[in-house]
Amino acid sequence: MRNQIVEKTPTHKGLTAGKIAEIIKAISAETGIVVKQEVQRRFLYDPDKTWRVHLEVTYQGKLAVLRIENMKLEIDEESIREKFRAAASGLNVRPPYTYAFAAFNDAKGYAWSIDELVEGHALFLPEADPAFAVQQFIPFYKELRSASLRPFWPAENVDAEAFSVAQLAGWMKLAQERNPDTLERHAKILGRLSERIVIGMKKQLLSFQHAHLAGSDVRVTPQDDYVVFANEFWSWRQPGYSLVFPIWNQWLALDDACRTHEHVQEITNTWLEAIERELVPHAIASTACVETMLLNRIFGSLILDLPAQLHRHSKESVAALEEALIREAEQLMTM
């Protein structure tokens, strides 16, 4: 079982400004919070698909964060956080503290929680130098893995090969609805990528992991605790998936002047070298699985992530990164 967030994109009704104001008013009346400012929105590929909003508030005399979401999750985040806290007992990694929450209410159409306002700094920003980013990430990942070795729920009755086939098919279905021209244009490379991904996952088992480890999804507190956000993404995924997510995040964050294969390659090579040096010898990662999941991320980027960037990047910028990622895929497929 896992939260199927991306899969809900076609039918999801995004939060509007009016609905957000209505929800805030109701929660304020119930809890006494006072909203100071909006902090962040999360949306599904385009800005009118907002499904989560974070706001800085005051609650019982202290600063806090109000999280509002209008998507009913298969596993509510607070129950995941509770399991995470138990699995991470004695470690320096944890989810945010929760002061109050309400699970999704079908009649109201939303869930909410009031969380600690985490002091500290992001693990790294996606625009960071890749050498710095991976240097920050590796110690954190080792700590988080200790918690993930105690899964929060049983494994899915499927292997990594079958999971990958279903995942790629789901992305293709969504892209057909959103970007049919992109699918047609990339048909040849997508076919080759699909074949390599499925072959690379043969005889592999899914592993339990946090599947959304962007550098900005982790904060380091003054007490050197790692506080992990986006906990709705804990799930059983292909081995190596969580390790390539921050690499993919750095690819997509390249600014217009750096959307070249040389810059993409620098990010990839910097991360792969560190993974091979710091994780592979301790059986924490497999180079072959990581490389397969890099191809997996390129597959999804070509048909979903890059078209979504047209909301904030020029066609020329998106085309440049598209070409750079195709070249990176070609190189990875020769390794």
Side-chain angles (χ1 to χ4, degrees):
M1 188 175 187
R2 64 187 177 88
N3 284 320
Q4 299 183 36
I5 294 169
V6 172
E7 293 85 346
K8 296 182 174 69
T9 301
T11 58
H12 182 71
K13 303 296 183 184
L15 283 164
T16 63
K19 184 62 177 178
I20 293 169
E22 177 188 321
I23 294 171
I24 291 172
K25 183 177 179 180
I27 296 172
S28 297
E30 182 177 349
T31 65
I33 61 164
V34 176
V35 174
K36 296 175 69 66
Q37 62 181 334
E38 185 175 315
V39 177
Q40 183 190 59
R41 292 190 182 201
R42 289 194 182 273
F43 56 86
L44 300 171
Y45 293 112
D46 49 61
D48 65 350
K49 294 280 190 177
T50 297
W51 72 279
R52 175 174 281 183
V53 179
H54 292 96
L55 305 108
E56 184 178 333
V57 301
T58 56
Y59 173 70
Q60 296 184 350
K62 55 181 174 284
L63 290 175
V65 173
L66 171 65
R67 171 175 56 86
I68 300 168
E69 60 190 32
N70 75 331
M71 181 185 292
K72 186 173 184 178
L73 301 174
E74 285 75 11
I75 312 170
D76 75 271
E77 184 166 349
E78 184 54 32
S79 69
I80 296 174
R81 288 184 182 186
E82 289 176 358
K83 293 178 175 66
F84 184 7
R85 292 183 187 109
S89 177
L91 301 172
N92 292 328
V93 62
R94 62 176 178 84
Y97 297 128
T98 307
Y99 298 139
F101 74 95
F104 190 91
N105 182 294
D106 289 305
K108 294 179 180 179
Y110 62 88
W112 60 266
S113 72
I114 301 172
D115 307 330
E116 68 170 312
L117 180 64
V118 180
E119 302 293 340
H121 59 84
L123 187 64
F124 64 88
L125 297 178
E127 302 85 1
D129 178 85
F132 172 80
V134 74
Q135 181 185 47
Q136 297 298 109
F137 184 84
I138 293 293
F140 154 72
Y141 188 79
K142 289 178 177 178
E143 191 79 358
L144 184 69
R145 183 174 179 273
S146 296
S148 64
L149 289 175
R150 288 172 273 182
F152 307 165
W153 52 83
E156 298 185 26
N157 187 27
V158 63
D159 59 26
E161 180 185 356
F163 185 96
S164 298
V165 170
Q167 182 184 58
L168 299 180
W171 290 348
M172 293 276 283
K173 182 176 184 295
L174 182 55
Q176 183 63 48
E177 295 165 351
R178 298 179 56 81
N179 317 301
D181 293 344
T182 303
L183 275 181
E184 184 177 349
R185 184 161 52 88
H186 291 312
K188 187 174 181 180
I189 186 68
L190 292 175
R192 292 175 59 210
L193 284 169
S194 177
E195 182 179 5
R196 286 295 299 270
I197 292 163
V198 173
I199 290 173
M201 286 294 108
K202 280 187 181 296
K203 298 183 180 180
Q204 296 291 337
L205 300 176
L206 297 179
S207 64
F208 191 71
Q209 57 196 283
H210 189 299
H212 202 289
L213 292 180
S216 54
D217 284 321
V218 183
R219 294 190 72 81
V220 184
T221 72
Q223 295 77 34
D224 291 327
D225 283 340
Y226 296 113
V227 181
V228 183
F229 298 89
N231 288 289
E232 68 276 7
F233 285 102
W234 279 99
S235 59
W236 290 86
R237 296 289 179 105
Q238 303 99 316
Y241 189 97
S242 59
L243 280 169
V244 306
F245 196 92
I247 303 173
W248 163 84
N249 191 232
Q250 289 213 288
W251 288 342
L252 294 193
L254 285 168
D255 63 35
D256 291 352
C258 297
R259 296 193 150 195
T260 66
H261 181 237
E262 289 70 26
H263 285 90
V264 166
Q265 187 177 50
E266 179 189 3
I267 292 169
T268 305
N269 289 348
T270 300
W271 280 81
L272 281 179
E273 288 167 8
I275 289 168
E276 290 173 354
R277 183 178 62 249
E278 301 288 340
L279 301 181
V280 171
H282 302 288
I284 298 174
S286 154
T287 301
C289 287
V290 170
E291 289 173 351
T292 299
M293 286 298 97
L294 286 171
L295 295 175
N296 180 271
R297 294 310 314 176
I298 291 174
F299 186 104
S301 294
L302 291 176
I303 62 176
L304 291 172
D305 302 312
L306 287 176
Q309 285 203 343
L310 290 170
H311 292 288
R312 58 187 185 279
H313 288 274
S314 69
K315 289 182 179 179
E316 293 76 15
S317 172
V318 171
L321 186 53
E322 179 182 271
E323 176 59 29
L325 289 179
I326 290 173
R327 287 186 61 188
E328 187 69 350
E330 294 285 2
Q331 182 163 307
L332 285 165
M333 285 192 286
T334 63
M335 295 173 70

